[in-house]
Amino acid sequence: MTAKATFDKSKLPSRHVSVGPDRAPHRSYYYAMGMTAEEIAQPFVGVATTWNEAAPCNIALARQAQAVKKGVKAGGGTPREFTTITVTDGIAMGHAGMKSSLVSREVIADSVELTMRGHCYDALVGIAGCDKSLPALMMAMVRLNVPSVFMYGGSILPGRFRGRDVTVQDVFEAVGSHSAGKMSDEDLHDLECVACPSAGSCGGQFTANTMACVSEAIGLALPGSAGAPAPYESRDAYAEASGEMVMRLIESNLRPRDIVTRKALENAAMIVAASGGSTNAGLHLPAIAHEIGIDFDLHDVCAIFKRTPYIADLKPGGRFVAKDMFEIGGVPVLMKALLDGGYLHGDCITVTGKTIAENLENVTIPTDQEVVRPTSSPLSPTGGVVGLRGNLAPQGAIVKVAGMKKLTFTGPARCFDCEEEAFDAVERGDYKAGEVLVIRYEGPRGGPGMREMLATTAAIYGQGMGDQVALITDGRFSGATRGFCIGHVGPEAAVGGPIGLLKDGDTIRIDAEKGTLEVDLTEAELAARRGEWKSRRHDFQSGALWRYAQTVGDAEKGAVCHPGGQAETHIYADI
């Protein structure tokens, strides 16, 4: 295709900065950057990455962006690269820095929106690495509704420690073993030196790889693009193809909201359930839906989890990592297993211009592998993630049950009003088998920022107590968390939710088979405690975290910060 033959700038947003005599000042800036008149006359494609030197998750994205730009140019477009922030959970974890993590999802989406709006770009290719950056870019794509292609930057290679594959999860759990005297300083050091051997996002089915699977299942990414580990040069071919594809989308005017429908969101939830994915998907899928104005909350997500079989044997609940799934054919193999089992909506359109079923037509499921099972022989008949509800969580809660054998737990509450209190108690061994550890005032508003609790849960596992206690929080858990760890409990403590009314010794009953989370208190007893409850003032009374706390909503609806698609009067793509 050629720009002159295919694209009419009079119908594209970039006409506002590149067409006509009154845009001569704007064009002078483009000439200043070495652009030619031909390039200025072509569609402008934003190539957004979360490249930075914060963590291995993002370090390879600049290379992949160059390949995307090559594809855009081959398709007759003019790529304009820009970057945005990330907060990398593996480094932010276990201290106050984690309060910034979920907030970064909104900042990334907003910054991409503002860059696209401010410069009137016609299309978007987004490449993301660490956890929140994946849903954030997808949120920006459906918010803007310009032709868009998403691409995952790839997972890290597994580390090797004493003859076995390891991930950063093993290092977090080793901290608990060390604190319990089960691991020496030398062994901990040896493990930390080999656990993360390359560029790329965490290798298990944690949040990044979960949302990477979502990107293919929801239709915003090229089939197979989520699979190859970050160091593999084959990623560059997918990046180039993504750049070429976005130009075809401009030509056909196929937009994200044509792709991300209610059924596509259901496909996304199915891939999370089938892979034993991160509980964070219970936040991110509603947030993506919210951008379009589709009602798709935590309960809708969990209903799909309940009817979808768990078939991919991936860490942390299973045995394998992302590289293993890539080697048997990647995400398309998992999708094909679900489609053949009658689960996926095969008629959903994707960025290829073809449907899910058409994309998967020639995919075969290898029989000589144990990573992905057929739906007729699942690891469990319901998904690896379960929703809970009850008098302790009227707005719901979520737990990853992948790999768990016992799905019920009853015990006395042990209450902590922040993660640091809980972690200090765990590190000292100041807790008992049978207790339900309660970490509260860590919700979206109360934290603020809804921290993940991997440092605490991993330490419990490292001490050998993972199946001896349960943990509930109005905060979140990492996709690497395992054990009876219930997050997203709502309403959160900061707004007077029942979790904020608990006292040490209250009996808590968790049943992941029935989907219930209850405390043995009557409504009258809860009401009496609510009358005595007083709101707390958090420590962030200015800056970004203060602003977030003023606008963020409930976890049940995705912890979103603006009215969303239902309040729109116009869409950026139509300017």
Side-chain angles (χ1 to χ4, degrees):
M1 70 178 78
T2 64
K4 290 182 180 178
T6 306
F7 303 109
D8 180 0
K9 284 270 256 188
S10 70
K11 297 179 180 178
L12 296 177
S14 64
R15 71 187 186 276
H16 295 295
V17 295
S18 62
V19 175
D22 54 343
R23 301 311 179 198
H26 306 69
R27 289 192 295 273
S28 72
Y29 273 41
Y30 299 131
Y31 287 123
M33 292 183 282
M35 290 171 61
T36 66
E38 181 182 13
E39 289 171 329
I40 296 169
Q42 295 176 155
F44 292 169
V45 177
V47 178
T49 77
T50 56
W51 178 87
N52 58 44
E53 294 181 332
C57 324
N58 311 299
I59 203 71
L61 302 188
R63 183 197 88 223
Q64 295 179 37
Q66 304 318 303
V68 169
K69 290 159 69 175
K70 184 178 177 181
V72 170
K73 291 177 181 178
T78 299
R80 308 312 297 156
E81 182 182 357
F82 64 96
T83 61
T84 184
I85 70 156
T86 56
V87 172
T88 297
D89 291 3
I91 292 176
M93 196 76 68
H95 55 91
M98 179 48 71
K99 293 177 183 290
S100 301
S101 172
L102 187 59
V103 182
S104 75
R105 186 189 71 180
E106 315 310 310
V107 173
I108 294 165
D110 290 351
S111 64
V112 171
E113 175 194 358
L114 293 175
T115 299
M116 295 287 290
R117 284 186 182 275
H119 304 102
C120 294
Y121 293 157
D122 301 314
L124 174 62
V125 179
I127 314 175
C130 190
D131 294 0
K132 308 309 170 292
S133 62
L134 283 80
L137 282 176
M138 289 185 253
M139 289 163 65
M141 288 172 178
V142 294
R143 183 187 300 179
L144 295 163
N145 205 34
V146 291
S148 301
V149 178
F150 176 88
M151 190 174 132
Y152 179 41
S155 67
I156 200 169
L157 295 172
R160 294 289 292 176
F161 183 70
R162 297 183 179 171
R164 64 186 178 94
D165 284 351
V166 291
T167 70
V168 71
Q169 172 196 351
D170 296 276
V171 187
F172 274 103
E173 292 184 4
V175 171
S177 297
H178 180 268
S179 69
K182 297 179 180 180
M183 178 177 271
S184 67
D185 292 346
E186 294 77 12
D187 286 349
L188 180 60
H189 176 72
D190 289 347
L191 174 60
E192 73 183 63
C193 289
V194 300
C196 300
S198 74
S201 302
C202 297
Q205 195 64 351
F206 312 154
T207 303
N209 280 318
T210 297
M211 295 309 295
C213 290
V214 162
S215 72
E216 290 195 34
I218 210 168
L220 288 174
L222 293 181
S225 63
Y232 287 18
E233 290 189 3
S234 59
R235 296 214 63 80
D236 294 354
Y238 277 111
E240 187 172 348
S242 296
E244 292 177 354
M245 186 58 70
V246 83
M247 298 310 299
R248 296 181 195 172
L249 295 177
I250 296 174
E251 187 176 24
S252 65
N253 199 31
L254 182 62
R255 301 184 185 186
R257 297 192 189 190
D258 302 321
I259 294 167
V260 183
T261 61
R262 171 85 187 203
K263 290 201 295 186
L265 288 159
E266 291 178 356
N267 283 345
M270 288 182 220
I271 207 85
V272 175
S275 65
S278 170
T279 54
N280 282 304
L283 280 176
H284 301 326
L285 295 181
I288 293 169
H290 176 76
E291 298 288 351
I292 318 170
I294 296 175
D295 288 322
F296 193 70
D297 64 15
L298 175 65
H299 311 295
D300 296 311
V301 173
C302 289
I304 294 165
F305 289 169
K306 191 172 184 178
R307 64 175 187 257
T308 306
Y310 166 43
I311 60 174
D313 195 5
L314 300 170
K315 288 178 179 286
R319 295 176 289 164
F320 300 104
V321 295
K323 176 177 176 286
D324 298 313
M325 189 157 77
F326 165 69
E327 289 175 348
I328 66 151
V331 179
V333 168
L334 178 55
M335 291 176 64
K336 180 70 167 179
L338 287 170
L339 183 67
D340 287 351
Y343 290 92
L344 285 189
H345 301 294
D347 59 342
C348 289
I349 198 72
T350 72
V351 290
T352 65
K354 299 178 180 179
T355 64
I356 291 282
E358 289 170 334
N359 287 341
L360 298 176
E361 186 175 359
N362 296 319
V363 174
T364 58
I365 303 172
T367 56
D368 59 341
Q369 54 85 29
E370 298 180 340
V371 181
V372 175
R373 298 187 179 195
T375 57
S376 58
S377 180
L379 292 158
S380 68
T382 58
V385 183
V386 171
L388 307 173
R389 211 166 186 175
N391 71 342
L392 188 46
Q395 290 181 347
I398 195 167
V399 58
K400 179 183 282 195
V401 297
M404 288 176 53
K405 295 178 180 178
K406 183 182 177 183
L407 298 181
T408 61
F409 195 102
T410 298
R414 175 78 182 282
C415 300
F416 302 95
D417 287 344
C418 66
E419 184 191 12
E420 285 85 355
E421 289 182 7
F423 184 79
D424 289 347
V426 168
E427 199 168 39
R428 296 192 310 270
D430 184 17
Y431 65 104
K432 298 176 182 178
E435 288 184 327
V436 179
L437 308 184
V438 178
I439 306 178
R440 57 195 179 186
Y441 296 100
E442 292 287 7
R445 301 177 187 86
M450 204 178 181
R451 280 195 284 188
E452 292 180 350
M453 308 292 166
L454 176 60
T456 301
T457 59
I460 290 170
Y461 248 92
Q463 292 176 354
M465 293 288 285
D467 58 353
Q468 301 296 309
V469 297
L471 196 154
I472 70 171
T473 181
D474 51 8
R476 300 182 293 126
F477 290 110
S478 165
T481 293
R482 55 183 177 143
F484 231 139
C485 299
I486 294 109
H488 306 195
V489 173
E492 61 177 292
V495 297
I499 191 172
L501 309 179
L502 294 176
K503 296 180 180 179
D504 287 350
D506 288 340
T507 299
I508 295 173
R509 302 182 185 276
I510 308 163
D511 191 328
E513 293 176 340
K514 294 180 180 178
T516 57
L517 178 59
E518 303 278 351
V519 58
D520 282 358
L521 295 171
T522 66
E523 284 304 310
E525 289 170 320
L526 285 169
R529 291 190 185 183
R530 191 170 290 112
E532 299 172 356
W533 176 84
K534 295 180 180 180
S535 62
R536 294 163 55 97
R537 182 181 172 91
H538 62 71
D539 292 336
F540 298 86
Q541 295 301 313
S542 66
L545 294 178
W546 175 86
R547 186 186 304 114
Y548 178 83
Q550 308 310 304
T551 58
V552 70
D554 296 325
E556 178 187 33
K557 303 293 185 182
V560 294
C561 294
H562 67 101
Q566 291 186 2
E568 288 175 342
T569 59
H570 71 282
I571 301 170
Y572 162 74
D574 297 328
I575 63 171

